[in-house]
Amino acid sequence: MLITDKFEKYRSVIENSPQLNDKSKPMKELLLWEDSKMNLECYYAPFDYINVDAKIILVGITPGATQMNKALNTANISINEE
């Protein structure tokens, strides 16, 4: 598996973040882009691991806040266990 440059860019933010619950608001430090006219925001979440040997690729809708917070918590735990 490879870790993309985006993960490394946000690693310290994730490493120092508190544990989040399903209702936690997104951290502004992870904001990738926003469109105030459309009331849209996009935040980084650690879903960017790449398995170069994968035989199947799943394409779908972007994960929501619950999945983002769970991924951030898991990444935080993993980083701090290194």
Side-chain angles (χ1 to χ4, degrees):
M1 291 211 187
L2 301 172
I3 299 175
T4 67
D5 292 337
K6 272 213 191 317
F7 180 80
E8 289 304 322
K9 178 180 178 181
Y10 295 109
R11 180 185 177 111
S12 64
V13 174
I14 295 168
E15 183 176 12
N16 297 307
S17 69
Q19 289 294 298
L20 306 166
N21 63 48
D22 291 350
K23 306 251 185 227
S24 294
K25 294 187 181 213
M27 294 185 290
K28 287 296 183 185
E29 299 90 346
L30 299 176
L31 182 66
L32 296 173
W33 62 265
E34 65 182 322
D35 183 330
S36 55
K37 287 184 180 181
M38 298 286 292
N39 197 26
L40 296 173
E41 299 174 328
C42 181
Y43 293 86
Y44 172 76
F47 287 101
D48 53 350
Y49 290 92
I50 300 168
N51 181 346
V52 296
D53 297 319
K55 304 281 187 249
I56 298 173
I57 298 173
L58 301 176
V59 179
I61 297 173
T62 304
T66 297
Q67 293 82 7
M68 176 182 68
N69 290 338
K70 288 182 183 205
L72 289 167
N73 287 339
T74 301
N76 174 286
I77 290 166
S78 296
I79 291 169
N80 287 303
E81 287 180 349
E82 291 180 345

